[in-house]
Amino acid sequence: MEDYIVSARKYRPSTFKSVVGQKSLTTTLKNAIQSGKLAHAYLFCGPRGVGKTSCARIFAKTINCLNPAPGGEACNECESCRSFNEQRSFNIHELDAASNNSVDDIRSLTEQVRIPPQLGRYKVYIIDEVHMLSASAFNAFLKTLEEPPHHALFILATTEKQKILPTILSRCQIYDFSRITIEDMVEHLQYVASSEKITAEPEALNVIAQKADGGMRDALSIFDQVVSFTDGNITYKAVIDNLNVLDYEYYFRITDAILKGDVRSGLLILNEILERGFDGQNIITGLTTHFRDLLVCKDEATLILFEVGASIRERYKEMAKQCSDSFLFKAIERSNQCDLDYRNSRNKRLLLELTLIQLCQLIVDPSEEDDKKKTLIRPITDPQQTTTAQNASVDTQQNSPPVTSHVPAHPQHSASIATSYSGEAAKHIHEIKPQQTDTSKISNIRRTSLKDLGKEKEKTPQSVYTSQMPDAKNDFSQDDLLKYWIEYAESLTIEKIHLKNTLMNCKPSLKDNYSIEVSVYNPSQKDEIFDNSADILGHLCSKLHNSRIKMNIRIIEKDEKEIIYTPMEKYNYLIKKNPNLEKLKSLLNLTIE
């Protein structure tokens, strides 16, 4: 039985031309060899499996070739090339710094450097994973690396350049190897498949290349694994089953459900994926990438950023036409936020389902745009029931009797205005639920903002409040008014502490025709009460059983009598009444807080 050699070793590059995805670097090295301008130390750095050590070996073989080819390649026929290919060359030494990282190992290497080559021009020392050397070993290596013999040449290779001492970096020519593109890897895998007489679908090789994450060695290892699984017939279905990769079809199905706003279908698809054993983090990461791919497919200019097979590319382009840019921006943001929150979530499945519900509700009708701004997740209702409810609401409004509007004015205008709106203004009236609980006598309060009406009518007051309870005009006293005024203030939560303090300090007084007047000390208090006039009037109308209450807010003038409020103001007032209190304060050593 013939000995089996894995593809990563069997198809390891032996010439600069066969190196995959590093054309600019190999061209630079060949030009340096042809011109004879060789440095004494090189540093090859980059991700794993991109060809650093392979290029170092090819470079070492080529500079010692006795009959180099015109293109800068080794001849592979001279004694130096043959000895290298047969792994018996004494001019090329490899050191694994991961297991030989002590000072003694480096001293042994520097002693060998003094011996000139027996065949060829250079002795080349390749130190792999050089970042694993200890600090003492680096220091012992510095002098030799800076001034080696003319026949010695060092090639250092590492995946973590940031761990190497700056003094080492300054003595080397640095070559940064890049990740191999999916296109280059697929092309090389097709070459390997044809050489091994293996049939492979382009989409299957594309999945392997994506799984390899830019490393050619990883791609060849996965390729061997899939060949064993499929017995030489590599298909897309076999690859995703063997590598446990989520099929594109699931992402397309989820996107269809999102575009239709079908939450239930989306949850069922998510459940199907989870039952197949896929991790939730991989699901949301793949969905984010899917939305990103749809975005780059919308424009021919960005299509080059999309690296998949031709058949799947066309499907992405078709679906991208159904998605707006704004939808994709929001979808990427939501799914990416879910990805960030996933690790810290205690109920990971619920987080995925919640994100899916939010994504399904990104597509809304223009008429629903205002509602979408108010709430992130809207109720999932039957469209027929929604239509019925809307029609019932319209009928109720049409049959409702006309009402009188009592309008608190803007601080810059008179404080009590009675008016009504129709036409364009009526379209902007939004319904706000009052804080009162007696729904049998007052149904709701309507409010329209100056932002909506002020652009059309400059003199429109800031807010319009309409009581829709039956017309009632029960009499009430000043004590009744104060009782329910304080009751409303005490019902406020900590979020409205400023309003609560304002209401407790600025009490109303009863005037003629059920009008109440609130005296405040500054414009800030006036704005605070005015902005909450709808809820205040709703509470008073409900408790006092009077729908004709109007509120006037005014600022106390400077020459008016001041109201005693703070402890110091109270103390000063009492001192004027009885100066002996000052002596008593000093005698007892009292303080005012």
Side-chain angles (χ1 to χ4, degrees):
M1 183 176 178
E2 185 180 355
D3 293 336
Y4 172 74
I5 302 176
V6 297
S7 298
R9 291 180 57 194
K10 185 175 181 180
Y11 293 95
R12 187 164 193 163
S14 59
T15 62
F16 285 122
K17 185 178 180 180
S18 59
V19 176
V20 179
Q22 310 294 344
K23 186 175 181 181
S24 60
L25 294 183
T26 56
T27 301
T28 304
L29 294 175
K30 286 192 294 183
N31 291 340
I33 294 172
Q34 287 180 312
S35 61
K37 298 178 180 178
L38 301 179
H40 63 273
Y42 293 87
L43 176 63
F44 292 171
C45 50
R48 69 182 190 277
V50 295
K52 301 184 297 296
T53 307
S54 297
C55 281
R57 292 176 178 177
I58 297 169
F59 185 67
K61 180 178 71 170
T62 306
I63 62 177
N64 278 318
C65 180
L66 302 178
N67 301 305
E73 298 281 4
C75 67
N76 285 320
E77 295 178 357
C78 65
E79 178 60 26
S80 176
C81 291
R82 287 201 306 270
S83 63
F84 175 83
N85 294 336
E86 296 171 5
Q87 299 182 2
R88 54 182 177 84
S89 175
F90 291 101
N91 290 344
I92 300 173
H93 303 271
E94 288 193 38
L95 177 70
D96 180 19
S99 56
N100 301 278
N101 54 9
S102 66
V103 177
D104 293 336
D105 295 319
I106 294 300
R107 286 175 178 169
S108 175
L109 184 145
T110 55
E111 289 176 0
Q112 296 179 25
V113 168
R114 294 178 297 176
I115 303 174
Q118 297 177 351
L119 181 67
R121 297 178 56 190
Y122 298 97
K123 291 190 72 171
V124 182
Y125 296 87
I126 301 174
I127 306 178
D128 205 3
E129 301 299 333
V130 69
H131 65 274
M132 299 292 287
L133 289 178
S134 64
S136 300
F138 270 129
N139 292 330
F141 189 41
L142 278 177
K143 189 62 177 177
T144 303
L145 186 64
E146 183 177 9
E147 297 179 355
H150 69 278
H151 60 265
L153 190 147
F154 296 96
I155 303 178
L156 316 181
T158 180
T159 55
E160 300 184 44
K161 182 174 69 172
Q162 72 277 4
K163 292 185 178 180
I164 300 178
L165 296 179
T167 50
I168 296 291
L169 296 176
S170 64
R171 289 164 167 80
C172 302
Q173 281 192 8
I174 302 175
Y175 288 77
D176 288 301
F177 285 67
S178 60
R179 292 183 181 275
I180 302 174
T181 63
I182 292 179
E183 183 180 357
D184 288 338
M185 278 196 285
V186 170
E187 182 180 352
H188 188 66
L189 289 174
Q190 288 175 337
Y191 163 74
V192 174
S194 62
S195 301
E196 297 292 328
K197 296 180 174 53
I198 295 172
T199 58
E201 294 179 356
E203 289 78 9
L205 297 180
N206 190 275
V207 173
I208 294 175
Q210 290 184 9
K211 191 77 172 178
D213 193 25
M216 195 69 244
R217 182 173 59 234
D218 292 350
L220 290 170
S221 298
I222 297 172
F223 177 82
D224 288 344
Q225 175 184 336
V226 175
V227 169
S228 300
F229 177 72
T230 60
D231 196 20
N233 183 22
I234 303 177
T235 62
Y236 173 77
K237 183 69 169 60
V239 170
I240 62 174
D241 288 343
N242 182 255
L243 301 181
N244 198 32
V245 177
L246 191 57
D247 190 2
Y248 291 114
E249 186 64 31
Y250 285 108
Y251 295 129
F252 285 119
R253 288 172 58 193
I254 290 179
T255 306
D256 283 333
I258 291 173
L259 293 176
K260 295 175 183 177
D262 191 348
V263 175
R264 295 174 180 85
S265 296
L267 293 178
L268 291 175
I269 297 170
L270 177 61
N271 181 69
E272 182 181 346
I273 297 173
L274 291 173
E275 286 183 344
R276 291 194 58 189
F278 288 99
D279 179 66
Q281 185 96 46
N282 293 335
I283 296 173
I284 196 62
T285 302
L287 189 60
T288 307
T289 304
H290 176 73
F291 288 134
R292 176 263 182 192
D293 292 341
L294 287 174
L295 182 63
V296 300
C297 283
K298 289 184 66 66
D299 193 335
E300 292 293 335
T302 57
L303 196 59
I304 59 174
L305 301 176
F306 187 45
E307 299 177 322
V308 295
S311 60
I312 298 178
R313 181 189 296 261
E314 292 301 320
R315 187 166 182 185
Y316 266 98
K317 291 172 67 176
E318 289 299 322
M319 176 157 281
K321 295 177 182 178
Q322 306 175 31
C323 306
S324 64
D325 286 346
S326 60
F327 163 73
L328 292 174
F329 295 153
K330 295 174 184 176
I332 293 173
E333 181 183 9
R334 293 275 170 82
S335 54
N336 185 64
Q337 187 61 45
C338 176
D339 187 19
L340 297 175
D341 297 339
Y342 188 85
R343 180 172 296 180
N344 297 326
S345 175
R346 304 186 71 174
N347 191 338
K348 301 184 185 302
R349 175 165 184 150
L350 180 60
L351 176 63
L352 292 175
E353 293 175 340
L354 181 63
T355 301
L356 188 58
I357 293 173
Q358 294 173 348
L359 292 173
C360 287
Q361 296 187 354
L362 290 178
I363 301 294
V364 296
D365 296 331
S367 59
E368 299 177 350
E369 188 66 26
D370 291 338
D371 292 336
K372 187 176 81 69
K373 292 178 181 178
K374 294 178 183 177
T375 178
L376 187 59
I377 300 181
R378 304 185 304 283
I380 305 171
T381 58
D382 188 353
Q384 185 175 0
Q385 295 177 357
T386 304
T387 305
T388 305
Q390 292 175 349
N391 294 337
S393 177
V394 172
D395 294 339
T396 303
Q397 294 179 4
Q398 291 177 349
N399 297 330
S400 299
V403 295
T404 303
S405 301
H406 303 290
V407 186
H410 189 273
Q412 297 178 355
H413 300 85
S414 61
S416 179
I417 301 175
T419 184
S420 61
Y421 288 90
S422 61
E424 290 298 323
K427 297 180 181 178
H428 299 283
I429 296 179
H430 301 290
E431 191 170 298
I432 298 180
K433 183 178 180 181
Q435 291 190 6
Q436 54 83 24
T437 58
D438 190 359
T439 57
S440 62
K441 294 184 179 181
I442 177 168
S443 59
N444 54 43
I445 294 175
R446 295 182 180 273
R447 175 175 180 174
T448 183
S449 172
L450 181 62
K451 291 182 180 180
D452 299 327
L453 297 177
K455 297 179 181 179
E456 301 172 3
K457 298 184 179 181
E458 295 181 357
K459 296 185 179 181
T460 299
Q462 186 179 22
S463 299
V464 177
Y465 308 96
T466 304
S467 172
Q468 293 190 349
M469 64 178 288
D471 190 19
K473 53 179 180 179
N474 292 353
D475 293 335
F476 56 90
S477 64
Q478 174 69 22
D479 292 338
D480 295 332
L481 176 62
L482 290 177
K483 173 184 176 182
Y484 294 116
W485 181 274
I486 295 174
E487 178 183 285
Y488 176 81
E490 291 178 345
S491 68
L492 297 174
T493 60
I494 191 66
E495 287 80 7
K496 291 192 174 183
I497 188 64
H498 185 59
L499 174 62
K500 180 177 181 178
N501 293 335
T502 301
L503 294 179
M504 296 298 290
N505 296 326
C506 304
K507 305 293 177 55
S509 59
L510 181 61
K511 303 296 182 182
D512 296 333
N513 297 326
Y514 310 116
S515 176
I516 63 175
E517 183 178 84
V518 184
S519 299
V520 299
Y521 302 101
N522 53 62
S524 176
Q525 292 179 329
K526 185 174 183 179
D527 292 340
E528 188 73 31
I529 295 177
F530 182 83
D531 291 341
N532 295 273
S533 297
D535 294 336
I536 298 172
L537 285 178
H539 181 82
L540 295 177
C541 289
S542 172
K543 295 296 184 179
L544 298 172
H545 307 297
N546 192 313
S547 62
R548 299 191 178 187
I549 300 176
K550 294 180 288 186
M551 182 166 59
N552 176 36
I553 309 171
R554 73 180 187 89
I555 300 178
I556 299 175
E557 300 295 336
K558 292 184 179 181
D559 55 351
E560 293 187 54
K561 181 179 179 180
E562 294 186 359
I563 296 178
I564 298 174
Y565 175 62
T566 65
M568 183 58 71
E569 290 174 349
K570 295 177 182 178
Y571 173 73
N572 292 333
Y573 175 76
L574 294 175
I575 288 294
K576 293 178 183 179
K577 293 283 186 179
N578 188 353
N580 291 327
L581 289 175
E582 179 69 25
K583 297 179 180 180
L584 179 64
K585 174 177 175 293
S586 301
L587 182 63
L588 299 178
N589 195 23
L590 301 177
T591 59
I592 299 175
E593 296 181 355

